[in-house]
Amino acid sequence: MIQALVQSIPVYPADAISVVNGANLGDSLSFAAELDLDDTYELGLDVALQRLSFSTDGAGALTVAQGTQLGRPGDVLHIDCCVTMMSATGATTEILILVEVDDAGDVEEIFAIPLAPMVPRTDYTLVGIDIEGAAAKFAELACVSFSRGTNITLASGAQRPIEELKVGDMVLTRDDGPQEVRWIGSSTVRAVGAFAPIRIRAGALHNTNDLNVSPDHRLFIYQRSDALGAGRHELLVRARHLVNGDTIVQADGGFVDYFQLLFDSHQIIYAEGIAAETLLVDTRTRPALPPELNEKLAQVLPGHSERVHLDFEVSKALLDHPDAAAMLRRASTR
């Protein structure tokens, strides 16, 4: 049986974004059936993103998890739609809409996941409502990705840029030696908000070159001394939890080419010398994969149900230090 996997995402409560001009004047952002194109919205002042924690199970259900900042634990979450807003300058912003329902199936709360930063007192006109593609867009947020130019260590020990890898290439894994690449995904997205990569500058974690990964990408770190007090030496740490504004930063601006690597099981590989996870196929990430992979995935998915690496993940609370990255760097050599 696949255990529930707890994750979290930055969201606004939907009432933080309301109509200032149009058919639904004064109403908050809502689900697709209640929206009208050409309505103009604004983000309220002094509104901060909060983290919505949720779990996924083998059946694909999303439920609000314990420890969440928003929502009621146990309530079901539905991915409703992805809306496109346009500002006066012509720039577009996509927002995913999640709907929380109670045991009776009644709407409890609505959440907005902006895929690019939003600015208060800025007009955003609703120009698109996508119901069919919302699940895939939500899945993309969960897909751990490396940026173009990332050097991956092959089974031979050679380094190869990720964009030059091919299906069938043998890559060195930490736990299972040489393993065959089963699928390579790629996408180009705006490097803003939830999609802006985390840049781990050369030397920050003993890496020779800069490493750029998606914000929730987990890095594997072995501590010779238990500097964090995690009670173990092997750790998985989300890249965004290591941002210190100096050696590890979030690189906003422009566009980023992201690549995903899929193996028969969830693996730890070496990217720019840093041990990092590969794509984990579960009920959340699967919609991001192309339909033609369905038959192949029937063979791959059983290996992905064994999430042994995730036992090593540490919470953000344990990383609450002025410079956790520097601490881990020292702990890995002493």
Side-chain angles (χ1 to χ4, degrees):
M1 180 178 179
I2 299 177
Q3 296 180 339
L5 176 64
V6 176
Q7 303 168 70
S8 68
I9 44 176
V11 304
Y12 289 120
D15 58 12
I17 305 169
S18 57
V19 179
V20 293
N21 187 28
N24 295 309
L25 182 64
D27 288 352
S28 300
L29 186 61
S30 188
F31 47 85
E34 293 190 346
L35 298 177
D36 285 299
L37 293 175
D38 298 325
D39 276 358
T40 300
Y41 291 79
E42 279 190 6
L43 174 68
L45 289 171
D46 301 320
V47 178
L49 287 164
Q50 300 181 67
R51 296 205 76 84
L52 172 66
S53 298
F54 63 94
S55 62
T56 56
D57 61 19
L62 303 177
T63 56
V64 181
Q66 295 291 335
T68 186
Q69 290 182 299
L70 293 175
R72 186 173 64 181
D75 278 356
V76 174
L77 291 167
H78 295 285
I79 305 167
D80 182 73
C81 65
C82 181
V83 300
T84 302
M85 303 280 194
M86 180 178 290
S87 69
T89 63
T92 58
T93 298
E94 290 183 309
I95 303 173
L96 279 165
I97 305 297
L98 295 185
V99 179
E100 175 189 353
V101 298
D102 59 21
D103 292 340
D106 297 324
V107 174
E108 187 74 21
E109 197 165 353
I110 299 171
F111 305 106
I113 309 172
L115 303 186
M118 298 185 69
V119 181
R121 289 184 174 172
T122 298
D123 287 349
Y124 294 94
T125 301
L126 180 61
V127 296
I129 304 170
D130 178 12
I131 296 174
E132 297 298 325
K137 188 70 67 173
F138 186 68
E140 288 176 10
L141 290 174
C143 288
V144 296
S145 307
F146 301 95
S147 71
R148 177 180 293 276
T150 299
N151 287 307
I152 303 297
T153 302
L154 302 180
S156 65
Q159 304 287 305
R160 184 177 297 172
I162 193 166
E163 64 272 19
E164 296 180 12
L165 287 178
K166 297 180 178 60
V167 172
D169 282 346
M170 301 300 289
V171 169
L172 179 64
T173 70
R174 181 185 182 275
D175 301 294
D176 297 318
Q179 290 294 311
E180 183 178 352
V181 177
R182 293 299 187 185
W183 176 77
I184 302 172
S186 65
S187 60
T188 300
V189 299
R190 292 174 62 195
V192 292
F195 285 114
I198 303 300
R199 177 168 298 155
I200 302 165
R201 299 192 191 280
L205 292 173
H206 304 293
N207 45 313
T208 303
N209 303 310
D210 289 358
L211 172 64
N212 295 292
V213 295
S214 53
D216 274 325
H217 208 133
R218 286 172 286 230
L219 311 175
F220 182 93
I221 296 173
Y222 180 84
Q223 306 178 100
R224 293 182 182 275
S225 59
D226 187 11
L228 292 184
R232 57 185 179 275
H233 294 285
E234 298 174 314
L235 307 176
L236 270 186
V237 181
R238 292 180 188 267
R240 61 180 171 83
H241 290 164
L242 295 177
V243 171
N244 57 20
D246 181 19
T247 60
I248 301 181
V249 298
Q250 187 150 31
D252 283 285
F255 291 82
V256 59
D257 295 332
Y258 275 141
F259 293 82
Q260 303 85 35
L261 296 180
L262 178 67
F263 295 83
D264 284 344
S265 59
H266 187 233
Q267 294 289 352
I268 303 296
I269 63 171
Y270 298 93
E272 300 296 356
I274 296 178
E277 70 173 329
T278 60
L279 179 61
L280 172 65
V281 179
D282 60 16
T283 53
R284 182 180 171 191
T285 57
R286 186 164 182 170
L289 304 177
E292 58 267 23
L293 276 180
N294 282 341
E295 185 175 340
K296 295 180 181 178
L297 283 176
Q299 301 172 355
V300 172
L301 277 172
H304 284 244
S305 65
E306 300 174 1
R307 298 166 171 159
V308 292
H309 296 118
L310 302 192
D311 292 338
F312 302 141
E313 184 170 359
V314 296
S315 67
K316 183 179 180 181
L318 276 181
L319 296 163
D320 188 17
H321 297 275
D323 192 348
M327 179 182 292
L328 289 171
R329 184 177 184 277
R330 291 191 297 269
S332 67
T333 57
R334 294 179 182 174

